[in-house]
Amino acid sequence: MSDSRSVLITCHTGRDAAVESARLVIDRLLKEGLKVRVLEDEAEEVARTGVEVVPADERAAFGAEIIVVLGGDGTLLRAAEISRPTGVPLLGVNLGHVGFLAEAEVEDLHVVVDRVVDGRFEVEERMTVDVTVRNGTILARTWALNEASVEKRDGMLEVVAEIDGHPLSRWGCDGVICATSTGSTAYAFSAGGPVVWPQVEALLVVPNSAHALFARPLVVAPTSTIAIELLSTTHAGVLWCDGRRRFDLPPGVRVEIRKGTHPVRLARMLGVDSTGVPFTDRLVAKFGLPVEGWRGRVRPA
């Protein structure tokens, strides 16, 4: 095994199962001759002899082949902050509840390690969004994999939505969620937005509890620019990106959302048929959708 191969392991240290799983993965990778690194704020729980401890910043994944993430979607979103600047793919093992971003469940941990050791995985790119907050000048720049959500803080927000420089509608609402296809099964889903297959590049606009005759979820082109303007007479709001990065929004501010310049790369394990698990199957499994009675495509005799 080449000495140049390196794997970054990160986990939800607040879950005993995640810590134990991380230790098992680390021991196996070391045994197979791969280099292993862990984040310094997780090292006390998971570090073993021979493991490199690295700062938990954008440099942590530089030069790594893959990042193995053990936890729920929140853990993977945290790892995406490390992954995105370097383009190192993430392979998630779900120890949470729904876990749409993860590639495998914890009971498949041995398969995950085998795939990493053998290099048997494919990489797909997931669109992100770049977010700019303006009020005459630029107040903040950030990004999101799932969604950028403009939300009320003290009282109902009065906003105007704009698509590609044209005003669309004014809403009194709890907020507006601007999501990617990847984020369609996250916050946008709970607010009544559509489920969009991740292969579809699109931007979603989902008004949240809007008091208006027209407040339907919208799906717009990935080349579009969405803007949400807080009226100067409304309450202050807050911007959340992936539920992790928070920015206060004063009245009169403008939030612009467009396709991100850098995607997040997700590793997908290769099965016996050289394909990953179809999104339809994930949807059925995660939500327990009823499919009894399905007979499949009728084949000619």
Side-chain angles (χ1 to χ4, degrees):
M1 197 65 64
S2 171
D3 289 339
S4 64
R5 297 187 66 199
S6 178
V7 179
L8 172 62
I9 307 295
T10 181
C11 72
H12 189 317
T13 55
R15 293 179 178 167
D16 292 341
V19 172
E20 181 60 29
S21 296
R23 292 170 178 169
L24 292 172
V25 172
I26 290 169
D27 289 344
R28 171 74 189 284
L29 292 177
L30 289 173
K31 184 178 179 180
E32 294 290 343
L34 277 72
K35 292 182 177 180
V36 178
R37 61 182 81 166
V38 299
L39 304 177
E40 61 183 2
D41 57 359
E42 300 174 7
E44 184 176 348
E45 287 82 5
V46 301
R48 332 287 275 172
T49 301
V51 169
E52 179 186 3
V53 178
V54 295
D57 58 27
E58 294 181 351
R59 298 166 294 175
F62 184 79
E65 179 178 314
I66 195 169
I67 304 172
V68 178
V69 185
L70 300 114
D73 279 354
T75 310
L76 199 142
L77 288 170
R78 178 197 181 216
E81 296 175 350
I82 296 172
S83 162
R84 186 175 183 248
T86 58
V88 177
L90 301 166
L91 199 163
V93 180
N94 182 42
L95 287 96
H97 299 291
V98 179
F100 264 101
L101 291 172
E103 172 64 5
E105 303 297 320
V106 67
E107 55 266 26
D108 300 320
L109 194 60
H110 66 287
V111 179
V112 171
V113 178
D114 288 343
R115 296 294 192 272
V116 172
V117 170
D118 296 338
R120 284 193 293 156
F121 55 85
E122 292 180 339
V123 177
E124 65 180 37
E125 294 188 346
R126 293 291 183 91
M127 189 180 84
T128 60
V129 290
D130 287 336
V131 185
T132 306
V133 182
R134 303 178 186 271
N135 192 2
T137 60
I138 294 177
L139 303 181
R141 291 186 188 272
T142 186
W143 68 280
L145 171 60
N146 273 352
E147 75 280 310
S149 177
V150 175
E151 302 180 17
K152 69 177 184 179
R153 192 171 65 187
D154 300 317
M156 184 177 70
L157 290 179
E158 291 284 345
V159 305
V160 175
E162 170 193 299
I163 307 294
D164 293 330
H166 298 275
L168 175 71
S169 186
R170 173 173 168 172
W171 296 312
C173 57
D174 286 352
V176 182
I177 302 164
C178 301
T180 64
S181 299
T182 299
S184 71
T185 49
Y187 189 13
F189 176 83
S190 66
V195 173
V196 182
W197 264 238
Q199 294 85 357
V200 178
E201 284 204 341
L203 294 170
L204 283 66
V205 182
V206 184
N208 193 356
S209 301
H211 299 271
L213 290 176
F214 180 83
R216 298 291 187 181
L218 306 172
V219 180
V220 302
T223 53
S224 290
T225 298
I226 301 163
I228 306 298
E229 294 185 348
L230 276 64
L231 299 188
S232 58
T233 54
T234 194
H235 295 278
V238 61
L239 169 69
W240 282 100
C241 290
D242 289 340
R244 293 188 50 80
R245 295 171 292 281
R246 180 186 189 277
F247 301 89
D248 290 329
L249 300 176
V253 79
R254 174 183 172 92
V255 181
E256 297 174 347
I257 300 99
R258 54 178 55 87
K259 180 179 178 179
T261 53
H262 301 289
V264 167
R265 306 177 77 221
L266 299 182
R268 294 303 185 201
M269 295 191 302
L270 298 179
V272 293
D273 59 353
S274 298
T275 61
V277 178
F279 182 73
T280 306
D281 291 351
R282 287 180 190 273
L283 207 60
V284 170
K286 299 297 184 182
F287 290 121
L289 301 179
V291 293
E292 295 82 2
W294 178 73
R295 294 183 302 162
R297 183 175 57 187
V298 177
R299 295 173 174 82

